Amino acid sequence: MSPFLLTRTLSDDSVDTALRADVRTGLTAVPKELPPRWFYDARGSALFDEITRLPEYYPTRAEREILIGRAARIAAVSGARTLVELGSGSSDKTRHLLDALTGLHTYVPVDVSESALRGAAGPLLAARPGLQVHALIADFTALTELPASPGPRLLAFLGGTIGNLLPAERARFLRSVRALLDPGDTLLLGTDLVKDERTLVRAYDDAAGVTAEFNKNVLQVLARELGADADPADFDHVALWDREHEWIEMRLRARTALTVKIPELGLAVPFEAGEEVRTEVSAKFRREGVRRELEDAGWEPVEWWTDSAGRFALSLARAVERPAP
C-alpha cells in the first residue's frame, strides 16, 4: 500500500455551484453577507499565513504553546492510531501531535486545497517512515464518512475555526463529526476565549493592514470566478466586537453608493454609502459554554487546557454512545 493516498470528495463543479449559491443568496439578503470560506484561494491562504505571524494575532501562538506542552498528554489519553485533522492546511501545528503519537498508523488531513495537502504530505512522510497519509479534498462541514483506518481515532479541529460557525451550525457540526466516530474516539477542539475588546479587535484589524487585505480578497475571488466588477478600493475593512453574541464580525463597508455587477449570475447588487456586507463571524468562548455544546452533541469533556495567558483553549472530549438523531 502506498504511504500517500488522495481522495477527492469535493469536485470543481460542486465548488463552483456552492460559490454561486452563496453569492446569490448572501448578496441579495438584508443585511448582505458572504461565508468566510471564500477567503481561501491561494492568495487568501498566503495572506492568512502572514496574519498568523503578526504581533496582534495571538491565537496561533497561544494554541501552539498548548500543543507543545500538552501533546504527550493528548497522546496518552486518546491512544490514537489514526489522527484526522479538519482544515489541515500546511499541517504545521499538527506536527507536535504527530511527534507525540508514537503509535500512530494513519494521518487523515482534510482540506479544500489539493496543493496544501500535497505540499504538507512530502515533509511528513520523509520525517515519519511507515506513516500512512490518506488525504481528503473535502468540505469538512459536509463530511459523511472517513477512510477506513485503525482505531482509536483522534479528530482535531484547531485554530478556533469552529468560531466561524453560528450556534445552530456549530451544533449540527459537532453532531456530524460525532457521527463519524465510534464511542471512545476523541475530539481535540481549539477555541478562542472571551477577553478584553481591544485585544480582540486588534487581532482582526492589525496595524499593517494585512487582515484588511485578506478581507478584501473575497472581492478578488468574485472577480476572478464570477466576473464581478467590485473594486477593493471602494470598500473599507471593518472589525467589530458584538458584546451580546460574544463574537467578532468582519465586514466590508462601501465608501460610496455603488453597484457591483456580477455577469456570471446576472446580478447587479446595489450598495448605499456606508452599507456593509458581513464576511466573517468569529465567536469567542467560555469554558462552560464549550462544555455544554460538546455534551449536547454526544461528547464527554475530558481535559481543558489554556495557554499561559488564558487567551485560548484546547478541549479533549471523548465520544459517548451515539446521541439520538
Side-chain angles (χ1 to χ4, degrees):
M1 180 179 179
S2 168
F4 178 72
L5 293 173
L6 183 74
T7 299
R8 178 185 291 274
T9 67
L10 192 66
S11 69
D12 291 340
D13 285 347
S14 65
V15 173
D16 182 63
T17 299
L19 174 62
R20 288 167 176 263
D22 284 346
V23 173
R24 183 181 296 279
T25 300
L27 293 188
T28 58
V30 180
K32 295 178 174 67
E33 62 180 351
L34 290 169
R37 61 175 167 168
W38 303 115
F39 287 139
Y40 295 97
D41 62 350
R43 180 171 178 269
S45 296
L47 285 168
F48 185 72
D49 283 345
E50 187 176 348
I51 287 169
T52 66
R53 297 189 292 272
L54 293 171
E56 297 97 332
Y57 194 80
Y58 60 85
T60 302
R61 292 188 298 276
E63 187 175 53
R64 182 177 288 111
E65 176 192 320
I66 305 169
L67 283 171
I68 291 171
R70 303 297 183 175
R73 176 65 177 165
I74 295 166
V77 174
S78 69
R81 298 201 65 216
T82 294
L83 172 64
V84 180
E85 184 182 7
L86 305 183
S88 56
S90 65
S91 301
D92 179 50
K93 287 179 293 188
T94 323
R95 295 168 200 271
H96 303 297
L97 280 178
L98 292 168
D99 288 342
L101 291 166
T102 54
L104 195 68
H105 178 276
T106 303
Y107 174 47
V108 183
V110 182
D111 203 275
V112 296
S113 170
E114 179 174 350
S115 60
L117 290 168
R118 290 189 180 278
L124 288 175
L125 292 169
R128 296 165 180 83
L131 179 67
Q132 298 292 317
V133 177
H134 192 152
L136 293 183
I137 303 171
D139 176 355
F140 61 73
T141 66
L143 276 181
T144 57
E145 62 180 338
L146 294 171
S149 62
R153 289 177 291 182
L154 168 64
L155 188 146
F157 192 35
L158 303 176
T161 307
I162 194 167
N164 295 147
L165 304 177
L166 296 173
E169 294 170 333
R170 290 201 302 271
R172 288 194 297 271
F173 169 77
L174 289 170
R175 280 184 170 265
S176 72
V177 295
R178 169 63 194 85
L180 294 172
L181 302 177
D182 297 322
D185 289 342
T186 46
L187 168 69
L188 184 66
L189 181 65
T191 49
D192 196 8
L193 301 179
V194 174
K195 57 188 67 67
D196 67 280
E197 180 175 344
R198 181 173 180 273
T199 297
L200 286 166
V201 172
R202 288 178 70 234
Y204 293 83
D205 193 12
D206 60 277
V210 182
T211 310
E213 191 176 353
F214 173 71
N215 193 9
K216 292 183 182 185
N217 186 61
V218 72
L219 301 176
Q220 309 278 32
V221 172
L222 300 192
R224 183 182 65 248
E225 301 297 332
L226 300 175
D229 64 357
D231 186 344
D234 288 337
F235 291 84
D236 288 323
H237 164 68
V238 178
L240 299 172
W241 172 241
D242 184 322
R243 293 182 181 86
E244 178 184 356
H245 295 101
E246 296 192 322
W247 64 44
I248 286 282
E249 287 194 11
M250 290 208 314
R251 305 175 186 174
L252 292 171
R253 178 183 293 157
R255 291 180 174 175
T256 61
L258 57 92
T259 298
V260 174
K261 298 180 181 64
I262 310 176
E264 289 292 318
L265 299 181
L267 279 182
V269 182
F271 284 82
E272 297 178 2
E275 187 177 357
E276 298 173 341
V277 51
R278 186 172 75 182
T279 54
E280 182 178 273
V281 163
S282 185
K284 308 306 169 186
F285 296 88
R286 300 178 187 272
R287 183 173 184 175
E288 286 310 307
V290 174
R291 170 178 287 277
R292 183 173 58 253
E293 291 191 30
L294 287 170
E295 290 177 341
D296 287 348
W299 299 95
E300 177 192 7
V302 176
E303 301 273 6
W304 168 273
W305 303 288
T306 69
D307 66 297
S308 56
R311 300 167 297 179
F312 197 94
L314 284 182
S315 306
L316 188 65
R318 182 172 287 111
V320 295
E321 291 303 319
R322 297 190 184 280

